[in-house]
Amino acid sequence: MHEAPKSLSDYRKQIDEALQDDFLRRTLDTFAVSYRANREAVFQEVDERGLIAQIAEAKDYACQHMEELYQQFKEQAEKRGVHVHRAATAKEANEIIARIAKENDVKRVVKSKSMTAEEIQLNPALEAEGLIVDETDLGEWIIQLRHEGPSHMVMPAIHLSRYQVADDFTKATGEKQDSDVQKLVKVARVQLRRKFIAADMGISGCNFAVAENGAVSTVTNEGNARMVTTLPRVHVAIAGLDKLIPTLDQALTALLVLPRNATAQRLTSYVTWMCGAGPCAAAPGNKKIMHVVFLDNGRTEIAKDPLFSQIFRCVRCGACANVCPVFRLVGGHKMGYIYIGAIGLILTYFFHGKDKAKVLCQNCVGCESCANVCAGGIDLPRLIREIRSRVTEEQGGGAQAALLASVMKNRKLFHSLLKFAKYAQKPFTGGTQFQRHLPAIFLGKHGFKALPAIANKSFRDRWPEIAPKAQNPSMRVAIFSGCAQDFVYPEQLEACVKILAAKNVAVEFPMEQTCCGLPLEMMGQRKTSIDVAKQNVQAFAVGKYDAIITLCASCASHLKHVYPKILADEPDVLTQAKIFADKVIDFSSFVHDRLGLKAEDFTNSGDRVTYHASCHLCRGLGVKEAPRELIADAAQYVPCEEEEVCCGFGGTYSMKFPEISAQLLGNKLKNIRETRADRLVVDCPGCVMQLRGGAEKTGLNVKVQHIAELLAENLKR
């Protein structure tokens, strides 16, 4: 079993090792690309959002009625000869299963893949009782031979090459094995069949426990699980209480999504339903001895949590890992303790301890890809941020984070320091827009991109000179600048003002606004995040605006979606916060949808322009077509491969995990280079910072701009 890292420095070492694994990188890269395309194809024939909503509703109901569903399941299953148990802890679950084995004179156990069994560390517990335990899922058997934990909930051995597997099979069989995949499968089949025949007990997981009829199910792509549940005279199914679901129809609805999400299949190979103890020639009286063990392990307490109870919508499809740009680089052993991916970062905190979660939960770039595909509609990014906040509150977030939080809380101090930085940086910029002459000791692993210089004059200081005066304006709006555009890229905001002024829009810039607070959320500094949120809401409360425009997709998503949630317990500002959030709109949507700018409003430059879809725009806000149509109106739009994959910035993430940030940036620049575009435009200054800095460092001859700059340049006078 892999160990959870104890410190951030230890974790970085583990990540470095993973990044050096070329096979892992190639395998996960190939899988990620094919999975995304195949998943999109298999969901075209069903109502994806509708099905996810149905699953969420059914699972939420099950969570709220866990006790009565358990009792209903127990009553129905026992009518059919099944023994039903309930374990409060992992230790108790292991003891129950060991006792069943002892009572039935069990010597050998075969087991099908079960994340719940991994959660309680069942195999070592049974082996300590003198039992021989053999995994029978091919992937699980492979990692058992290696004494590892699964690296994916559906594909546990995805991190291994066929050559590694051949070596493992050679050791297991005592005979030299060929690395040909089909030959390895045949070897496994021979070995595992012997184990099925010799086994006294079969242990399976459970995808669904249907209360209305006491049935349990397994969902697999191999027939081995069926042999586990049918051949041995004793069968034990182990299930978390969260696997309870009211009706068979609801389980069947979930099955329309589970294989599509897990492996981009319409239907998995084997869906087995067991309703009662069936016939078995090896059992006394030709009737199988069947037990179902339900595991609590904190689940009933989590079910009471109004926020975290949604984790029980999870159907263990692994899709959150499949689309995660970080998982794609480092694999599952670096993305959870037992459970992996976004859900793994969360479940580790509850099932395996806060100490194990403390470091792991930091390794989220915040791209929201996981939330976009979750079969249960779980707000995974929010829950990860909440875990960070809880860990910080309970254990502290470090002196550096605390100092930064205290500075950002004080707007005047924060802005004064940024203004001071423009003078302090002069020896290092050489009069350019980059920090060109920083000593290498200051850069460390951050030298993969050129760092931007602070602007000579911030946008707020330029505002009195450039503020437009509209006569009989068509609309009245306010600009939320964010930190980067106010102090690093004011020209992006000026481009926006130019467009708004040309369309006779009255524009205001509230001077009391400050950082949106997203970096604080990413650091787990919830209290300070709430403080700056209140400052911003109050800053914009002074005016009656038709819209609050921001050119930062990350700011927009945070202001719109997070403010009403983190201010829910602040009655003095909550109402105003909701009004504020409702008015927030990203630049591209405002220009495209509200102003209605079209091709005739621009002089098409003919420049080849490609696009990077900022994470918080395309997923956080769901804005996809508007920026692409605007680019095509003003220039020649050239699509780029994987436009919606994260560039690796993630705000403070790029500072905390520069190794991963650099790899994500490199992948993005490669795709941009292949377009042969003259320009790259984005909707987020953070992405500009990452991509412009990367292009500068690597010598990529492409002009990186905010989309507002492209549109302002080509706007007809």
Side-chain angles (χ1 to χ4, degrees):
M1 180 57 61
H2 67 282
E3 291 295 323
K6 294 179 174 60
S7 68
L8 190 57
S9 60
D10 288 341
Y11 193 28
R12 288 199 182 105
K13 290 176 184 175
Q14 292 182 19
I15 285 172
D16 282 340
E17 290 171 5
L19 291 173
Q20 299 304 313
D21 189 334
D22 291 336
F23 172 80
L24 179 70
R25 296 274 303 283
R26 287 195 306 272
T27 299
L28 295 180
D29 229 35
T30 302
F31 173 73
V33 173
S34 62
Y35 170 82
R36 190 163 53 250
N38 293 338
R39 183 186 181 278
E40 184 178 349
V42 297
F43 268 110
Q44 286 179 352
E45 60 204 23
V46 296
D47 177 10
E48 179 184 355
R49 292 298 128 192
L51 287 170
I52 289 172
Q54 289 180 56
I55 294 170
E57 183 181 5
K59 297 284 276 182
D60 284 348
Y61 177 90
C63 178
Q64 295 158 13
H65 298 83
M66 192 177 284
E67 291 299 330
E68 58 193 81
L69 290 176
Y70 169 74
Q71 292 299 333
Q72 185 183 5
F73 179 96
K74 181 177 171 68
E75 180 183 347
Q76 293 299 320
E78 288 179 344
K79 285 180 182 177
R80 294 169 170 84
V82 178
H83 306 277
V84 180
H85 311 261
R86 181 165 176 168
T89 64
K91 183 174 181 290
E92 187 179 346
N94 289 332
E95 289 171 349
I96 290 170
I97 297 170
R99 186 171 66 248
I100 294 169
K102 186 177 180 180
E103 290 171 351
N104 291 280
D105 196 27
V106 170
K107 300 294 189 296
R108 299 191 69 109
V109 177
V110 286
K111 196 172 151 283
S112 69
K113 185 164 73 73
S114 166
M115 293 305 301
T116 309
E118 294 286 346
E119 177 187 330
I120 65 175
Q121 295 288 278
L122 178 61
N123 287 13
L126 295 182
E127 287 167 350
E129 296 292 329
L131 297 169
I132 298 170
V133 184
D134 292 302
E135 295 286 351
T136 62
D137 175 273
L138 180 55
E140 292 284 340
W141 186 50
I142 292 167
I143 65 171
Q144 183 185 32
L145 294 176
R146 298 178 62 86
H147 306 288
E148 294 180 349
S151 64
H152 191 283
M153 286 189 285
V154 178
M155 299 163 287
I158 193 174
H159 60 292
L160 298 172
S161 73
R162 58 193 175 98
Y163 304 104
Q164 290 171 293
V165 174
D167 289 342
D168 294 330
F169 282 15
T170 296
K171 293 174 186 174
T173 63
E175 299 176 7
K176 179 67 176 175
Q177 301 297 338
D178 193 290
S179 60
D180 178 80
V181 173
Q182 294 304 316
K183 291 180 180 178
L184 290 172
V185 170
K186 288 179 181 178
V187 171
R189 184 176 294 129
V190 170
Q191 295 295 318
L192 293 175
R193 290 292 169 90
R194 294 170 181 166
K195 299 178 188 299
F196 289 129
I197 294 168
D200 308 299
M201 175 190 284
I203 299 176
S204 72
C206 172
N207 290 91
F208 305 101
V210 183
E212 70 174 355
N213 57 10
V216 295
S217 75
T218 59
V219 180
T220 66
N221 267 330
E222 299 175 20
N224 294 348
R226 283 192 174 179
M227 287 189 277
V228 166
T229 62
T230 56
L231 288 179
R233 55 190 169 83
V234 183
H235 172 214
V236 178
I238 180 168
L241 284 167
D242 54 300
K243 299 297 178 69
L244 284 161
I245 198 161
T247 69
L248 179 61
D249 281 347
Q250 290 167 330
L252 293 174
T253 298
L255 280 170
L256 292 173
V257 177
L258 176 54
R260 286 178 165 87
N261 244 22
T263 52
Q265 298 169 279
R266 289 176 177 82
L267 185 67
T268 194
S269 302
Y270 297 92
V271 180
T272 302
W273 299 93
M274 291 155 282
C275 192
C280 178
N286 292 325
K287 190 171 184 181
K288 182 173 291 295
I289 302 165
M290 184 174 177
H291 296 256
V292 178
V293 180
F294 282 98
L295 175 69
D296 190 326
N297 202 27
R299 285 167 171 79
T300 51
E301 284 303 307
I302 301 170
K304 299 173 187 175
D305 190 306
L307 178 59
F308 280 98
S309 59
Q310 64 180 289
I311 64 177
F312 294 145
R313 298 176 189 170
C314 178
V315 297
R316 307 292 192 264
C317 64
C320 57
N322 297 349
V323 298
C324 175
V326 179
F327 174 88
R328 181 173 172 178
L329 290 176
V330 302
H333 290 153
K334 307 298 179 289
M335 289 292 294
Y337 177 59
I338 300 294
Y339 299 100
I340 55 85
I343 193 67
L345 303 183
I346 300 162
L347 294 181
T348 297
Y349 177 85
F350 288 105
F351 293 162
H352 301 289
K354 299 167 186 178
D355 289 339
K356 287 185 171 66
K358 182 177 181 179
V359 175
L360 293 172
C361 72
Q362 298 180 57
N363 197 11
C364 169
V365 72
C367 71
E368 302 195 12
S369 295
C370 53
N372 202 50
V373 300
C374 178
I378 305 170
D379 191 350
L380 292 160
R382 183 188 179 189
L383 299 188
I384 293 171
R385 292 196 303 270
E386 185 65 29
I387 293 287
R388 286 187 186 135
S389 176
R390 291 190 180 188
V391 169
T392 299
E393 190 172 334
E394 294 160 355
Q395 303 181 10
Q400 189 177 10
L403 177 62
L404 182 58
S406 66
V407 169
M408 294 180 73
K409 183 178 179 177
N410 187 327
R411 183 192 67 78
K412 290 183 178 178
L413 174 62
F414 180 44
H415 288 171
S416 296
L417 289 173
L418 286 171
K419 289 179 180 181
F420 173 76
K422 73 181 181 184
Y423 300 108
Q425 72 184 0
K426 286 190 175 180
F428 308 113
T429 63
T432 70
Q433 61 180 338
F434 296 106
Q435 308 276 357
R436 293 189 181 277
H437 307 296
L438 281 172
I441 192 172
F442 291 153
L443 290 173
K445 292 184 176 182
H446 298 272
F448 62 89
K449 65 183 178 186
L451 301 178
I454 304 293
N456 288 328
K457 194 172 186 179
S458 67
F459 181 77
R460 63 180 55 241
D461 289 339
R462 301 183 192 194
W463 179 247
E465 304 166 12
I466 67 170
K469 296 182 173 47
Q471 301 293 324
N472 299 315
S474 58
M475 282 181 254
R476 186 167 177 245
V477 305
I479 289 178
F480 182 89
S481 64
C483 309
Q485 287 168 323
D486 196 349
F487 292 92
V488 182
Y489 304 123
E491 65 275 7
Q492 297 175 7
L493 295 172
E494 288 193 24
C496 170
V497 171
K498 177 184 175 182
I499 294 170
L500 297 178
K503 296 303 175 180
N504 198 35
V505 176
V507 188
E508 295 185 13
F509 183 78
M511 288 292 177
E512 296 302 307
Q513 63 179 286
T514 187
C515 172
C516 71
L518 178 57
L520 293 162
E521 283 286 314
M522 295 293 285
M523 293 188 294
Q525 299 289 332
R526 171 61 54 79
K527 290 181 179 178
T528 309
S529 168
I530 290 173
D531 286 337
V532 300
K534 290 167 75 173
Q535 290 178 43
N536 283 322
V537 170
Q538 290 162 356
F540 284 80
V542 297
K544 297 185 182 215
Y545 307 115
D546 296 301
I548 297 170
I549 302 170
T550 177
L551 280 70
C552 176
S554 297
C555 289
S557 182
H558 188 68
L559 299 172
K560 196 167 191 68
H561 298 314
V562 178
Y563 271 26
K565 294 170 183 173
I566 64 174
L567 296 175
D569 296 326
E570 304 288 334
D572 55 323
V573 295
L574 179 58
T575 300
Q576 193 60 46
K578 289 179 178 177
I579 296 170
F580 171 85
D582 286 342
K583 291 183 178 182
V584 169
I585 186 170
D586 67 281
F587 169 80
S588 286
S589 293
F590 182 82
V591 169
H592 185 270
D593 301 338
R594 299 274 186 93
L595 289 185
L597 294 191
K598 299 189 179 347
E600 53 264 31
D601 295 298
F602 301 97
T603 301
N604 194 300
S605 67
D607 287 353
R608 290 174 59 85
V609 179
T610 195
Y611 178 61
H612 163 65
S614 302
C615 298
H616 293 137
L617 188 76
C618 66
R619 286 180 289 276
L621 298 172
V623 177
K624 295 180 179 285
E625 299 307 319
R628 292 176 170 91
E629 290 177 8
L630 288 166
I631 294 169
D633 290 340
Q636 181 187 351
Y637 169 48
V638 183
C640 180
E641 288 294 320
E642 300 194 313
E643 279 187 350
E644 296 188 358
V645 174
C646 183
C647 70
F649 181 65
T652 55
Y653 183 88
S654 63
M655 295 184 284
K656 190 166 288 184
F657 296 104
E659 315 90 335
I660 296 174
S661 181
Q663 293 290 342
L664 292 173
L665 173 60
N667 294 342
K668 180 63 65 170
L669 292 176
K670 173 181 174 293
N671 291 335
I672 292 165
R673 186 176 285 106
E674 289 173 354
T675 68
R676 295 178 297 150
D678 306 305
R679 301 192 191 201
L680 165 70
V681 301
V682 301
D683 282 89
C684 182
C687 298
V688 171
M689 193 178 296
Q690 179 87 336
L691 294 164
R692 185 182 288 177
E696 172 71 12
K697 193 75 175 180
T698 60
L700 176 59
N701 187 26
V702 63
K703 188 174 184 178
V704 182
Q705 292 180 301
H706 194 282
I707 190 172
E709 297 175 278
L710 173 72
L711 300 184
E713 282 181 31
N714 296 297
L715 187 69
K716 288 181 179 176
R717 304 295 186 267

